[in-house]
Amino acid sequence: MKIKNKNKILVITPKYPKSYSGASIQNHKINLLLANKYDFEILTRDDSKNSDFEGIKINRIKSTKSKFQFLNNLKWLLGSSFFILKNKNLFNIIHILGCDSLEVSLMPLIKFLKKPIVIKRAIAGEISGTFLKRLKSKIIKYTASKIISISEEISHELESLRIKKKIVKIPNGVYIKNAKNFTPLVPTFSIIGIIRKRKGLFEGVQFLINNNPFKKYKLLIAGPIYDNHYWSKVQLLL
């Protein structure tokens, strides 16, 4: 059943499909699942060409190609700020994915426009240590309406900012079609995720081989292959 006068959510994210990013693909799947209740529109800085993906409108604010990263960032911030000001009456909620400095830098403007901000944090260690990280923590503390944490570790880190009432813990979910229960005949381990170096799949498989106590076991690896050369290295362990 279609709902009239649906809330419109602007999602601000570093990447969005067709870009090859596990986080952006997961967000897109969630947007599709909730599309009956909410209208979603995307604001992103990645340089894919498409302005629509499976019915979700995508606004790609591109930076310059200067060798000076500061100029690239400045152009994106100015372009994104102009987009938000121009379309301030179109969106009821702003949802920011991650704690990258560029996206967080937009939060004071959004707060000034009196729009609720929901920010999702998926990595610990982003808001403590360096001056820049401490500055981000201040911006998040005083501008965010709700903060989604995907783990206990991140929740504890956020609680150090004394914003416990703003924190909502929602672990990452995986949508599986036609899931079936089964009892494996041997101990079975599974590793699910995009196959690329920074995910640590090689080290994970190596650790399992060297430390598991079972003579017979099964290892299931599932996920899109981002780096074929890296996957070939992992296969040598199997």
Side-chain angles (χ1 to χ4, degrees), residues 8-17 19 24 27-28 31 39-48 50-53 56-63 73 75-88 90-91 93-98 100 102-107 109-110 113 118:
K8 189 155 189 176
I9 300 175
L10 177 65
V11 180
I12 304 178
T13 174
K15 291 184 178 294
Y16 201 80
S19 288
S24 65
N27 174 245
H28 177 66
N31 293 345
D39 280 330
F40 291 95
E41 196 165 319
I42 309 301
L43 175 63
T44 184
R45 55 185 157 103
D46 77 42
D47 56 2
S48 294
N50 57 309
S51 59
D52 180 279
F53 190 68
I56 304 293
K57 184 179 178 181
I58 306 169
N59 303 281
R60 299 187 185 276
I61 307 296
K62 298 180 181 179
S63 63
N73 293 345
K75 182 173 185 280
W76 186 84
L77 282 172
L78 290 174
S80 299
S81 298
F82 178 76
F83 174 86
I84 291 170
L85 286 168
K86 182 181 177 181
N87 299 284
K88 63 183 180 181
L90 296 181
F91 305 106
I93 301 169
I94 311 296
H95 181 31
I96 297 178
L97 295 182
D100 285 8
L102 285 177
E103 282 72 30
V104 171
S105 298
L106 294 171
M107 293 176 70
L109 171 62
I110 299 167
L113 296 174
V118 178

Side-chain angles (χ1 to χ4, degrees), residues 194-211:
I194 188 170
I195 296 172
R196 64 193 308 175
K197 185 176 181 180
R198 70 180 179 87
K199 293 293 185 180
L201 176 61
F202 184 89
E203 292 79 5
V205 173
Q206 205 168 42
F207 178 84
L208 178 62
I209 292 171
N210 295 332
N211 294 278

Side-chain angles (χ1 to χ4, degrees), residues 106-160:
L106 294 171
M107 293 176 70
L109 171 62
I110 299 167
K111 177 72 171 179
F112 175 76
L113 296 174
K114 298 181 180 180
K115 299 293 182 181
I117 303 171
V118 178
I119 183 168
K120 178 182 177 181
R121 293 199 55 239
I123 304 174
E126 291 178 309
I127 59 171
S128 60
T130 66
F131 170 77
L132 180 59
K133 289 181 178 181
R134 295 197 303 273
L135 179 60
K136 285 199 294 184
S137 73
K138 295 291 185 184
I139 293 174
I140 292 168
K141 178 177 181 177
Y142 293 110
T143 61
S145 305
K146 289 291 181 182
I147 307 170
I148 298 173
S149 158
I150 69 166
S151 70
E152 288 288 350
E153 182 183 8
I154 293 172
S155 295
H156 290 322
E157 186 182 47
L158 288 168
E159 286 170 8
S160 68

